[in-house]
Amino acid sequence: MRILFQRAIVATLTMNIFVRAINQLSDIEIDKVNKPNLPLASGDFSIGEGIAIAIISTLTSLAMGVMLRSPPLVIALVIRWIVGAAYSIDLPLLRWKASPLMAVVAIIILNGINVLPYFVHFQKYVLGRHLVFTKPLLFSVIFMGIFSVVLAFLKDIPDVEGDKEFGIRTLPMILGKERVFSISISMLLLAYGGAALAGVSSPFLLCKLVTMIGHSVLGFILWCKAQAVDLSNTKSTYSFFIFIFQLYYAEFFLMHFVR
């Protein structure tokens, strides 16, 4: 069981490497303005090496998914590959990052909806259980969906200068950094408030306390961090975006206590 779990995680991580690689390959010139320290933008990796990493990570991920004989895992990996490519590659009907709406759709699919095939994989092919769509699953999809929207909103704030130079119209360019930032923080605070209230209905004291206190504390930390962000400073906004990702990963721990 542990080996099946670990292999699924490795398959997902290698597919995530593809998503990052194809994004950097498509954004080399933009990254030279927004994120000059990235491997391809800085010249640490050549374009050929970037392409090789994208191809090898894709083949490795899909091969591991097929070897595990789990259709839902393969579906999850293929969805991640298609959406990751569509988000970055500059071809007709693609380059979703250039559209505020499609950028949000892509991140919701990758970080929210795509939880479902992983759930089916672990329930049926790792744990050998019958499929039951539970309260924790519903909570995870909704909460991570909100988080995904916020990530889609905030990711473009540090990149406004480069996006403007290359004609990519993102939400912060249309509505302004301040408004997008304010909307994002409000959405997350409401999500944390809702999660804390969800803990009230738990019949288990430990789950009730961890869910309520955990989400309340993270919401308070979020609010404090948001007050210190300088929206005119790229390093400050990028540092805050990384912090939001840390909150996102912290939720993978807390969601286990939602009952």
Side-chain angles (χ1 to χ4, degrees):
M1 183 184 299
R2 180 179 297 178
I3 292 176
L4 291 175
F5 177 81
Q6 292 173 341
R7 287 179 178 175
I9 295 299
V10 172
T12 302
L13 289 175
T14 50
M15 187 56 75
N16 283 345
I17 292 173
F18 161 78
V19 173
R20 299 299 179 189
I22 199 67
N23 181 258
Q24 290 191 38
L25 284 165
S26 302
D27 287 354
I28 293 176
E29 296 304 318
I30 298 177
D31 287 339
K32 287 179 180 179
V33 178
N34 291 331
K35 303 182 182 91
N37 294 325
L38 290 178
L40 288 171
S42 65
D44 290 341
F45 284 6
S46 68
I47 293 178
E49 289 171 328
I51 293 173
I53 289 172
I55 293 173
I56 292 171
S57 59
T58 296
L59 295 177
T60 301
S61 177
L62 294 178
M64 292 187 71
V66 171
M67 288 170 61
L68 288 172
R69 298 180 181 178
S70 169
L73 178 60
V74 174
I75 289 171
L77 295 173
V78 170
I79 289 174
R80 193 165 288 270
W81 188 91
I82 292 173
V83 176
Y87 178 84
S88 298
I89 296 175
D90 192 3
L91 289 174
L93 302 180
L94 302 183
R95 192 66 166 171
W96 290 359
K97 69 170 292 177
S99 163
L101 174 61
M102 293 310 299
V104 170
V105 169
I107 293 183
I108 288 176
I109 293 173
L110 288 177
N111 298 321
I113 297 174
N114 212 28
V115 168
L116 293 173
Y118 282 108
F119 174 80
V120 175
H121 166 72
F122 285 112
Q123 285 289 305
K124 186 173 181 180
Y125 293 89
V126 176
L127 300 176
R129 297 175 181 173
H130 293 294
L131 288 179
V132 178
F133 292 95
T134 61
K135 175 184 173 181
L137 175 64
L138 179 62
F139 169 84
S140 300
V141 171
I142 294 174
F143 194 91
M144 290 308 192
I146 295 172
F147 235 114
S148 299
V149 173
V150 171
L151 287 170
F153 287 174
L154 292 178
K155 71 176 180 61
D156 293 321
I157 292 180
D159 297 341
V160 165
E161 295 306 317
D163 290 340
K164 185 184 298 183
E165 182 176 334
F166 287 89
I168 296 178
R169 288 179 56 80
T170 59
L171 204 60
M173 291 176 60
I174 297 171
L175 299 180
K177 294 180 183 179
E178 293 77 9
R179 184 176 296 180
V180 171
F181 185 80
S182 177
I183 292 172
S184 300
I185 299 305
S186 297
M187 288 178 63
L188 269 190
L189 289 175
L190 286 173
Y192 276 124
L197 289 176
V200 175
S201 63
S202 175
F204 307 104
L205 180 60
L206 177 62
C207 293
K208 186 190 298 284
L209 292 175
V210 172
T211 303
M212 293 176 61
I213 295 173
H215 288 100
S216 297
V217 169
L218 290 183
F220 178 72
I221 294 173
L222 167 66
W223 183 83
C224 292
K225 287 274 191 180
Q227 306 310 304
V229 175
D230 179 3
L231 292 176
S232 64
N233 186 298
T234 301
K235 288 185 178 180
S236 178
T237 54
Y238 184 71
S239 175
F240 185 76
F241 177 67
I242 296 301
F243 165 70
I244 295 298
F245 250 114
Q246 292 170 345
L247 292 181
Y248 174 79
Y249 288 119
E251 191 58 37
F252 283 97
F253 169 76
L254 286 179
M255 70 172 58
H256 291 290
F257 293 90
V258 177
R259 292 290 184 270

